[in-house]
Amino acid sequence: MASVACIGECMVELRQAQGGQPAGQSSGQGGGLYSRGFGGDTLNTAVYLARLEVKVDYLTALGDDGLSDEMIAAWNAEGVGTRRVVRLAGKLPGLYMIQLDAKGERQFFHWRDSAAARQLMNLPETDELLNSLMSYDIVYLSAITLSIYDAGGRDRLFAAIKRARLLGTRFVFDTNFRARGWPDRDVAREVFAAAFAAADIVLTSTEDLLALYPGESNEQLMARIPTPELVFRLTEPVSLLRFPGGTSEVRAEPMTNPVVDTTAAGDSFAAAYIAARLAGSDPVEAAQAGHRLASLVICYPGAIIPGYAMPPKKRHRPAATRQATK
Protein backbone atom coordinates (compact mmCIF):
# COMPACT_ATOMS: atom_id res chain seq x y z
CA MET A 1 0.00 0.00 0.00
CA ALA A 2 1.25 3.49 -0.88
CA SER A 3 2.27 5.52 2.17
CA VAL A 4 2.57 9.18 3.10
CA ALA A 5 4.59 10.97 5.77
CA CYS A 6 2.95 14.22 6.90
CA ILE A 7 5.29 16.50 8.83
CA GLY A 8 4.12 19.40 10.97
CA GLU A 9 2.58 20.60 14.19
CA CYS A 10 -0.74 20.01 15.90
CA MET A 11 -1.77 22.48 18.60
CA VAL A 12 -4.38 22.71 21.30
CA GLU A 13 -7.27 24.81 19.99
CA LEU A 14 -9.54 27.00 22.08
CA ARG A 15 -12.61 27.97 20.10
CA GLN A 16 -15.42 30.22 21.24
CA ALA A 17 -18.24 27.89 22.26
CA GLN A 18 -21.76 28.24 20.93
CA GLY A 19 -23.48 30.87 23.02
CA GLY A 20 -20.18 32.38 24.17
CA GLN A 21 -20.00 36.17 24.09
CA PRO A 22 -17.94 37.83 21.36
CA ALA A 23 -14.98 39.91 22.44
CA GLY A 24 -16.05 43.36 23.58
CA GLN A 25 -19.45 42.12 24.76
CA SER A 26 -18.48 40.25 27.92
CA SER A 27 -20.14 40.87 31.24
CA GLY A 28 -16.91 41.29 33.19
CA GLN A 29 -16.20 37.56 33.35
CA GLY A 30 -13.78 37.50 30.39
CA GLY A 31 -14.51 36.68 26.76
CA GLY A 32 -17.13 33.96 27.30
CA LEU A 33 -16.94 30.18 27.14
CA TYR A 34 -14.47 28.28 24.96
CA SER A 35 -14.38 24.67 23.83
CA ARG A 36 -11.10 22.79 23.51
CA GLY A 37 -9.97 20.79 20.51
CA PHE A 38 -6.86 20.17 18.45
CA GLY A 39 -5.81 21.62 15.11
CA GLY A 40 -3.01 21.85 12.57
CA ASP A 41 -2.89 22.11 8.78
CA THR A 42 -0.81 19.02 8.02
CA LEU A 43 -2.61 17.04 10.72
CA ASN A 44 -5.93 17.86 9.02
CA THR A 45 -4.51 16.55 5.76
CA ALA A 46 -3.27 13.39 7.49
CA VAL A 47 -6.73 12.70 8.92
CA TYR A 48 -8.42 13.11 5.54
CA LEU A 49 -5.77 10.91 3.90
CA ALA A 50 -6.48 8.18 6.45
CA ARG A 51 -10.22 8.50 5.79
CA LEU A 52 -9.47 8.10 2.09
CA GLU A 53 -7.74 4.82 2.94
CA VAL A 54 -4.18 6.03 2.44
CA LYS A 55 -1.57 4.70 4.85
CA VAL A 56 -0.26 7.82 6.59
CA ASP A 57 2.07 8.59 9.49
CA TYR A 58 2.24 11.93 11.28
CA LEU A 59 5.76 13.12 12.10
CA THR A 60 5.97 15.63 14.93
CA ALA A 61 7.08 16.11 18.53
CA LEU A 62 4.78 16.26 21.55
CA GLY A 63 5.20 16.47 25.29
CA ASP A 64 4.64 13.80 27.92
CA ASP A 65 1.50 15.52 29.22
CA GLY A 66 -2.15 14.54 29.20
CA LEU A 67 -3.04 16.80 26.27
CA SER A 68 -0.38 15.12 24.14
CA ASP A 69 -1.78 11.74 25.20
CA GLU A 70 -5.22 12.85 24.00
CA MET A 71 -3.80 13.91 20.64
CA ILE A 72 -2.11 10.54 20.14
CA ALA A 73 -5.32 8.70 21.03
CA ALA A 74 -7.39 10.85 18.65
CA TRP A 75 -4.97 10.30 15.76
CA ASN A 76 -4.88 6.57 16.33
CA ALA A 77 -8.68 6.50 16.36
CA GLU A 78 -8.68 8.17 12.93
CA GLY A 79 -6.18 5.67 11.55
CA VAL A 80 -3.25 8.11 11.45
CA GLY A 81 0.02 6.38 12.33
CA THR A 82 1.86 7.76 15.37
CA ARG A 83 5.02 5.62 15.40
CA ARG A 84 7.07 8.63 14.25
CA VAL A 85 5.86 10.97 17.00
CA VAL A 86 8.68 11.91 19.37
CA ARG A 87 7.65 12.47 23.01
CA LEU A 88 9.69 15.05 24.98
CA ALA A 89 9.74 15.02 28.77
CA GLY A 90 8.57 18.25 30.35
CA LYS A 91 7.39 19.82 27.08
CA LEU A 92 3.90 20.77 25.92
CA PRO A 93 2.14 21.22 22.59
CA GLY A 94 1.49 24.74 21.34
CA LEU A 95 -1.85 26.48 21.86
CA TYR A 96 -3.97 28.84 19.80
CA MET A 97 -7.27 30.57 20.46
CA ILE A 98 -9.96 31.53 17.98
CA GLN A 99 -11.89 34.57 19.15
CA LEU A 100 -14.83 36.25 17.48
CA ASP A 101 -14.91 40.02 17.31
CA ALA A 102 -18.08 42.14 17.53
CA LYS A 103 -18.76 41.53 13.81
CA GLY A 104 -18.32 37.78 14.11
CA GLU A 105 -14.97 37.76 12.32
CA ARG A 106 -12.32 35.31 13.54
CA GLN A 107 -9.07 36.36 15.17
CA PHE A 108 -6.23 33.95 16.00
CA PHE A 109 -3.89 34.18 18.98
CA HIS A 110 -0.94 31.77 19.32
CA TRP A 111 1.25 30.53 22.17
CA ARG A 112 3.76 28.20 20.52
CA ASP A 113 7.30 29.58 20.95
CA SER A 114 8.32 26.74 23.29
CA ALA A 115 6.13 24.01 21.78
CA ALA A 116 7.65 20.54 21.51
CA ALA A 117 7.15 20.40 17.73
CA ARG A 118 9.61 23.23 17.16
CA GLN A 119 12.46 21.00 18.36
CA LEU A 120 11.81 18.11 15.97
CA MET A 121 14.81 18.85 13.73
CA ASN A 122 17.23 19.24 16.66
CA LEU A 123 16.80 16.05 18.69
CA PRO A 124 18.84 12.88 19.26
CA GLU A 125 16.07 11.08 17.35
CA THR A 126 16.16 13.47 14.38
CA ASP A 127 18.57 11.50 12.17
CA GLU A 128 16.56 8.29 12.52
CA LEU A 129 13.35 10.19 11.81
CA LEU A 130 14.76 11.84 8.70
CA ASN A 131 16.24 8.59 7.40
CA SER A 132 12.77 7.05 7.64
CA LEU A 133 11.52 9.41 4.92
CA MET A 134 13.09 7.09 2.33
CA SER A 135 10.50 4.43 3.22
CA TYR A 136 7.51 6.55 2.13
CA ASP A 137 6.02 7.10 -1.31
CA ILE A 138 5.24 10.75 -0.52
CA VAL A 139 6.52 13.27 1.99
CA TYR A 140 4.03 16.09 2.54
CA LEU A 141 4.57 19.29 4.46
CA SER A 142 3.50 22.91 4.37
CA ALA A 143 5.10 26.31 4.68
CA ILE A 144 3.74 26.41 8.23
CA THR A 145 5.81 23.29 8.94
CA LEU A 146 8.96 24.98 7.63
CA SER A 147 8.26 28.16 9.62
CA ILE A 148 8.53 26.40 12.99
CA TYR A 149 12.11 25.16 12.43
CA ASP A 150 15.30 27.19 12.50
CA ALA A 151 17.50 27.54 9.41
CA GLY A 152 19.67 24.56 10.38
CA GLY A 153 16.61 22.39 10.93
CA ARG A 154 15.18 23.32 7.53
CA ASP A 155 18.51 22.49 5.88
CA ARG A 156 18.55 19.04 7.52
CA LEU A 157 14.97 18.41 6.43
CA PHE A 158 15.61 19.45 2.82
CA ALA A 159 18.76 17.32 2.67
CA ALA A 160 16.81 14.28 3.90
CA ILE A 161 14.05 14.89 1.36
CA LYS A 162 16.61 15.07 -1.45
CA ARG A 163 18.11 11.74 -0.34
CA ALA A 164 14.66 10.17 -0.20
CA ARG A 165 13.82 11.41 -3.69
CA LEU A 166 16.79 9.50 -5.08
CA LEU A 167 14.97 6.31 -4.04
CA GLY A 168 11.66 7.36 -5.59
CA THR A 169 9.96 9.26 -2.78
CA ARG A 170 7.98 12.24 -4.04
CA PHE A 171 7.92 15.55 -2.15
CA VAL A 172 4.64 17.47 -2.06
CA PHE A 173 4.87 21.06 -0.80
CA ASP A 174 1.79 23.04 0.21
CA THR A 175 2.39 26.80 0.37
CA ASN A 176 0.03 27.43 3.28
CA PHE A 177 1.52 30.84 4.18
CA ARG A 178 0.99 32.61 7.50
CA ALA A 179 3.00 35.82 7.79
CA ARG A 180 3.09 35.73 11.60
CA GLY A 181 5.21 32.56 11.47
CA TRP A 182 8.12 34.20 9.66
CA PRO A 183 10.61 36.83 10.87
CA ASP A 184 10.13 38.69 7.58
CA ARG A 185 9.00 38.02 4.03
CA ASP A 186 12.53 37.88 2.63
CA VAL A 187 13.26 34.81 4.76
CA ALA A 188 9.97 33.26 3.67
CA ARG A 189 10.75 33.89 -0.02
CA GLU A 190 14.16 32.25 0.37
CA VAL A 191 12.66 29.17 2.04
CA PHE A 192 9.85 28.96 -0.51
CA ALA A 193 12.39 29.03 -3.35
CA ALA A 194 14.27 26.12 -1.77
CA ALA A 195 11.04 24.15 -1.33
CA PHE A 196 9.97 24.84 -4.93
CA ALA A 197 13.34 23.61 -6.21
CA ALA A 198 13.08 20.36 -4.22
CA ALA A 199 9.41 19.55 -4.79
CA ASP A 200 7.81 17.11 -7.20
CA ILE A 201 4.34 18.56 -6.66
CA VAL A 202 3.44 22.03 -5.40
CA LEU A 203 -0.04 22.90 -4.14
CA THR A 204 -0.46 26.65 -3.96
CA SER A 205 -2.92 29.52 -4.31
CA THR A 206 -3.13 33.15 -5.29
CA GLU A 207 -3.85 33.97 -1.63
CA ASP A 208 -0.55 32.47 -0.50
CA LEU A 209 1.69 33.74 -3.27
CA LEU A 210 0.34 37.28 -3.59
CA ALA A 211 1.18 37.78 0.08
CA LEU A 212 4.83 37.13 -0.84
CA TYR A 213 4.90 38.56 -4.37
CA PRO A 214 2.30 41.35 -4.42
CA GLY A 215 1.09 42.69 -7.72
CA GLU A 216 2.23 39.76 -9.85
CA SER A 217 -0.04 38.08 -12.37
CA ASN A 218 -1.05 34.43 -12.22
CA GLU A 219 1.41 33.69 -15.02
CA GLN A 220 4.26 35.39 -13.17
CA LEU A 221 3.46 33.57 -9.94
CA MET A 222 3.32 30.19 -11.65
CA ALA A 223 6.59 30.88 -13.45
CA ARG A 224 8.33 31.16 -10.07
CA ILE A 225 7.66 27.46 -9.43
CA PRO A 226 9.83 25.10 -11.51
CA THR A 227 8.27 21.89 -10.21
CA PRO A 228 6.91 19.57 -12.94
CA GLU A 229 3.46 19.27 -11.32
CA LEU A 230 1.70 22.38 -10.07
CA VAL A 231 -1.79 23.01 -8.73
CA PHE A 232 -2.57 26.72 -8.55
CA ARG A 233 -5.87 27.53 -6.82
CA LEU A 234 -7.51 30.84 -7.67
CA THR A 235 -9.68 33.00 -5.42
CA GLU A 236 -12.68 31.59 -7.27
CA PRO A 237 -13.22 27.80 -7.06
CA VAL A 238 -10.90 27.07 -9.98
CA SER A 239 -7.49 25.40 -10.19
CA LEU A 240 -4.91 25.93 -12.90
CA LEU A 241 -2.82 22.81 -13.48
CA ARG A 242 0.60 22.36 -15.03
CA PHE A 243 2.00 18.88 -15.47
CA PRO A 244 4.27 16.97 -17.86
CA GLY A 245 2.54 16.96 -21.20
CA GLY A 246 0.01 19.68 -20.67
CA THR A 247 -1.94 22.27 -18.72
CA SER A 248 -5.57 22.39 -17.67
CA GLU A 249 -8.18 24.43 -15.84
CA VAL A 250 -10.36 22.56 -13.36
CA ARG A 251 -13.46 24.26 -12.02
CA ALA A 252 -15.30 23.07 -8.91
CA GLU A 253 -18.89 21.99 -9.32
CA PRO A 254 -21.45 24.61 -8.20
CA MET A 255 -22.24 24.54 -4.48
CA THR A 256 -25.70 23.30 -3.53
CA ASN A 257 -25.34 23.75 0.25
CA PRO A 258 -24.42 26.91 2.18
CA VAL A 259 -20.81 27.52 3.17
CA VAL A 260 -20.47 27.23 6.95
CA ASP A 261 -16.72 27.28 7.67
CA THR A 262 -13.82 27.43 5.21
CA THR A 263 -11.35 25.99 7.73
CA ALA A 264 -9.33 23.12 6.20
CA ALA A 265 -10.59 23.66 2.66
CA GLY A 266 -7.02 23.63 1.38
CA ASP A 267 -5.97 20.82 3.74
CA SER A 268 -8.76 18.54 2.54
CA PHE A 269 -8.10 19.46 -1.10
CA ALA A 270 -4.48 18.38 -0.60
CA ALA A 271 -5.53 15.06 0.92
CA ALA A 272 -7.94 14.20 -1.88
CA TYR A 273 -5.44 15.27 -4.54
CA ILE A 274 -2.62 13.16 -3.05
CA ALA A 275 -4.89 10.15 -2.50
CA ALA A 276 -6.11 10.27 -6.09
CA ARG A 277 -2.59 10.62 -7.51
CA LEU A 278 -1.37 7.68 -5.42
CA ALA A 279 -4.29 5.62 -6.69
CA GLY A 280 -3.37 6.25 -10.32
CA SER A 281 -5.55 9.22 -11.27
CA ASP A 282 -4.11 11.90 -13.52
CA PRO A 283 -3.70 15.49 -12.23
CA VAL A 284 -7.03 16.64 -13.69
CA GLU A 285 -8.96 13.82 -12.00
CA ALA A 286 -7.03 14.45 -8.79
CA ALA A 287 -7.89 18.16 -8.80
CA GLN A 288 -11.56 17.29 -9.38
CA ALA A 289 -11.39 15.01 -6.34
CA GLY A 290 -9.76 17.81 -4.35
CA HIS A 291 -12.49 20.28 -5.22
CA ARG A 292 -15.23 17.77 -4.38
CA LEU A 293 -13.88 17.06 -0.90
CA ALA A 294 -13.09 20.72 -0.13
CA SER A 295 -16.60 21.74 -1.26
CA LEU A 296 -18.03 19.24 1.19
CA VAL A 297 -15.74 20.16 4.10
CA ILE A 298 -16.68 23.85 4.02
CA CYS A 299 -20.34 22.95 4.60
CA TYR A 300 -19.53 21.82 8.16
CA PRO A 301 -18.08 23.70 11.14
CA GLY A 302 -14.50 23.00 12.09
CA ALA A 303 -11.57 21.46 10.25
CA ILE A 304 -12.61 17.80 10.48
CA ILE A 305 -16.11 16.91 9.34
CA PRO A 306 -18.04 13.98 10.87
CA GLY A 307 -17.01 10.60 9.51
CA TYR A 308 -20.51 9.90 8.21
CA ALA A 309 -20.29 13.01 6.01
CA MET A 310 -17.31 11.76 4.03
CA PRO A 311 -18.03 11.08 0.35
CA PRO A 312 -18.44 7.48 -0.81
CA LYS A 313 -15.26 5.67 -1.78
CA LYS A 314 -14.32 5.90 -5.45
CA ARG A 315 -12.30 3.20 -7.13
CA HIS A 316 -9.21 4.42 -8.97
CA ARG A 317 -6.88 2.76 -11.42
CA PRO A 318 -3.99 0.82 -9.83
CA ALA A 319 -1.11 3.05 -8.80
CA ALA A 320 2.04 3.02 -10.90
CA THR A 321 5.05 1.19 -9.53
CA ARG A 322 7.36 3.42 -7.51
CA GLN A 323 10.58 4.22 -9.35
CA ALA A 324 13.75 5.94 -8.25
CA THR A 325 14.39 9.45 -9.50
CA LYS A 326 16.99 9.52 -12.26
Side-chain angles (χ1 to χ4, degrees), residues 52-53 279 281 285-286 288-289 292 311-317:
L52 294 169
E53 300 184 342
S281 294
E285 293 169 328
Q288 291 169 341
R292 282 195 298 271
K313 302 291 188 301
K314 178 182 179 181
R315 294 188 178 275
H316 298 272
R317 298 188 302 271

Side-chain angles (χ1 to χ4, degrees), residues 49-289:
L49 281 168
R51 290 185 175 187
L52 294 169
E53 300 184 342
V54 174
K55 184 179 180 182
V56 56
D57 286 336
Y58 197 58
L59 281 61
T60 192
L62 291 173
D64 58 353
D65 58 291
L67 292 172
S68 296
D69 290 341
E70 288 184 26
M71 287 187 185
I72 292 286
W75 303 346
N76 285 329
E78 284 283 359
V80 175
T82 57
R83 58 182 175 148
R84 308 292 188 195
V85 178
V86 181
R87 306 295 297 270
L88 303 180
K91 299 296 292 184
L92 293 168
L95 179 147
Y96 71 100
M97 181 173 67
I98 304 173
Q99 188 177 65
L100 299 179
D101 64 18
K103 297 180 180 179
E105 296 293 331
R106 295 186 302 171
Q107 300 180 69
F108 293 85
F109 304 89
H110 291 78
W111 294 264
R112 66 194 303 194
D113 290 347
S114 60
R118 301 181 75 90
Q119 300 184 19
L120 187 64
M121 295 297 131
N122 298 286
L123 298 172
E125 300 90 344
T126 298
D127 286 344
E128 179 181 356
L129 189 79
L130 292 177
N131 287 335
S132 76
L133 298 183
M134 293 184 284
S135 66
Y136 294 92
D137 293 278
I138 281 179
V139 172
Y140 169 83
L141 56 84
S142 72
I144 293 178
T145 304
L146 296 175
S147 73
I148 68 174
Y149 307 136
D150 60 22
R154 288 192 289 264
D155 288 344
R156 283 187 285 278
L157 177 55
F158 281 138
I161 288 172
K162 290 176 182 178
R163 292 194 300 270
R165 291 183 70 245
L166 294 175
L167 295 179
T169 299
R170 286 180 288 173
F171 170 36
V172 180
F173 175 55
D174 192 325
T175 62
N176 204 0
F177 176 69
R178 298 293 182 270
R180 61 178 174 272
W182 299 91
D184 58 61
R185 279 174 167 74
D186 287 337
V187 172
R189 292 184 190 105
E190 181 179 350
V191 174
F192 269 55
F196 291 156
D200 297 281
I201 301 174
V202 169
L203 307 176
T204 190
S205 67
T206 52
E207 180 183 6
D208 289 339
L209 293 189
L210 284 176
L212 286 175
Y213 313 105
E216 293 195 0
S217 66
N218 291 341
E219 292 75 16
Q220 289 172 315
L221 294 173
M222 294 177 70
R224 288 184 172 276
I225 305 173
T227 185
E229 186 169 331
L230 171 64
V231 181
F232 186 83
R233 299 188 303 276
L234 306 182
T235 52
E236 56 187 305
V238 175
S239 292
L240 305 180
L241 308 185
R242 187 184 71 213
F243 48 88
T247 60
S248 185
E249 177 182 299
V250 176
R251 185 174 296 273
E253 296 177 1
M255 296 283 295
T256 57
N257 295 316
V259 175
V260 174
D261 187 347
T262 59
T263 302
D267 307 335
S268 57
F269 180 102
Y273 187 91
I274 291 170
R277 293 293 282 131
L278 283 172
S281 294
D282 63 35
V284 172
E285 293 169 328
Q288 291 169 341

Side-chain angles (χ1 to χ4, degrees), residues 9-11 13 15 35-49 51 75 78 96 98 106 108 176 178 260-271 293-307 309-311:
E9 178 183 21
C10 182
M11 292 180 285
E13 176 190 274
R15 176 186 292 267
S35 61
R36 176 172 61 80
F38 305 115
D41 63 337
T42 54
L43 187 278
N44 298 334
T45 299
V47 169
Y48 284 115
L49 281 168
R51 290 185 175 187
W75 303 346
E78 284 283 359
Y96 71 100
I98 304 173
R106 295 186 302 171
F108 293 85
N176 204 0
R178 298 293 182 270
V260 174
D261 187 347
T262 59
T263 302
D267 307 335
S268 57
F269 180 102
L293 183 56
S295 295
L296 179 63
V297 167
I298 62 178
C299 295
Y300 291 83
I304 306 298
I305 64 175
M310 289 292 294

